[in-house]
Amino acid sequence: PEIKAEPTDDDRVILDMTATKITDSNEVNMPVKLQLPERMDLPVPFVSQAPTGDWGMPYQELCEEAAILSAEKYFRCVKTLTETSMNTELLEIYDWESKNLGTNSDITVAEAKTLAEKYFGLKTEISDDYSVENIKQNLVNGKVVIIPTAGRMLNGPFYSGKGPIYHFLVIRGYDNKYFITNDPGTRTKGNGFKFAQNVVINAIHDL
């Protein structure tokens, strides 16, 4: 992908993700605004985009898929994952995308929404409210927030080289200064990694 400039408001969206919870009348439960605690951290299991340590193709392109898989395992109450199972599922997702999305390279937030809903059966919403407060409110409401970023603006210390140009993060919690994330762009060190909130907000960037 080409990300030639710093993100603008038109580029900034987040993907709010929950398990499918539709009432008998087929009406979606409306979100409730809850008081924000000072700190929270949802137990979202970590999924690396390169679970066996192979960073060749297609694993270089699987951050979006790993982020969504991480959320899906949380909503299905799966607490432990093996390298083999993660690897198998990621490759299955990669194959599904090729057949159903016409791509298995970097995907947009809209394509990620399709993947989450059609493949995993999750309920998702794309929001252009990328404020710190809104992200926190979604987490408190039991949602997992997935964000697209201009990856090199994150300055992740465990990335190779300059880091990924386009990169997805799972936001699973926060404290007074940081977002607690699952960063699939590492093999293990992205589990619960903390990025400063202002760094994350500034880096949000869809394709």
Side-chain angles (χ1 to χ4, degrees):
E2 291 190 33
I3 298 178
K4 298 180 180 179
E6 291 189 6
T8 67
D9 287 346
D10 291 338
D11 302 314
R12 298 181 192 274
V13 293
I14 62 175
L15 186 62
D16 308 327
M17 192 168 298
T18 64
T20 303
K21 295 180 180 178
I22 307 296
T23 65
D24 291 339
S25 61
N26 290 324
E27 294 180 355
V28 178
N29 294 324
M30 295 301 292
V32 177
K33 192 166 185 177
L34 302 174
Q35 184 175 354
L36 298 177
E38 291 185 2
R39 185 187 189 281
M40 71 168 300
D41 184 11
L42 298 174
V44 181
F46 176 72
V47 176
S48 169
Q49 68 186 77
T52 65
D54 181 355
W55 289 95
M57 291 296 292
Y59 301 99
Q60 294 177 16
E61 305 289 349
L62 293 181
C63 65
E64 303 97 325
E65 295 79 2
I68 298 170
L69 182 60
S70 179
E72 189 266 346
K73 295 305 178 187
Y74 168 70
F75 290 119
R76 306 303 182 216
C77 300
V78 176
K79 296 182 179 180
T80 57
L81 299 166
T82 67
E83 292 179 357
T84 300
S85 67
M86 284 188 286
N87 189 67
T88 298
E89 290 197 62
L90 287 171
L91 293 178
E92 289 173 349
I93 297 167
Y94 185 78
D95 183 61
W96 183 91
E97 287 175 325
S98 180
K99 294 175 181 177
N100 293 275
L101 297 181
T103 181
N104 45 25
S105 184
D106 290 313
I107 60 175
T108 65
V109 170
E111 289 168 332
K113 176 179 172 69
T114 298
L115 172 64
E117 293 179 347
K118 300 297 185 183
Y119 188 85
F120 289 113
L122 296 173
K123 180 163 67 72
T124 66
E125 178 184 357
I126 297 175
S127 173
D128 60 4
D129 183 352
Y130 53 88
S131 66
V132 170
E133 181 178 2
N134 185 56
I135 292 174
K136 289 181 177 180
Q137 189 68 62
N138 277 296
L139 293 169
V140 172
N141 285 343
K143 298 180 180 181
V144 173
V145 178
I146 292 178
I147 61 166
T149 70
R152 293 179 179 179
M153 294 180 67
L154 295 170
N155 293 314
F158 303 117
Y159 299 150
S160 61
K162 295 180 180 179
I165 296 174
Y166 180 66
H167 191 54
F168 270 36
L169 292 178
V170 178
I171 301 182
R172 69 184 214 193
Y174 64 85
D175 58 24
N176 61 336
K177 293 183 179 180
Y178 299 94
F179 282 127
I180 304 169
T181 74
N182 281 352
D183 181 354
T186 74
R187 188 175 180 188
T188 59
K189 294 180 180 179
N191 186 7
F193 187 82
K194 292 183 177 182
F195 286 101
Q197 291 168 10
N198 67 306
V199 170
V200 169
I201 297 300
N202 289 336
I204 291 175
H205 196 313
D206 195 10
L207 276 178

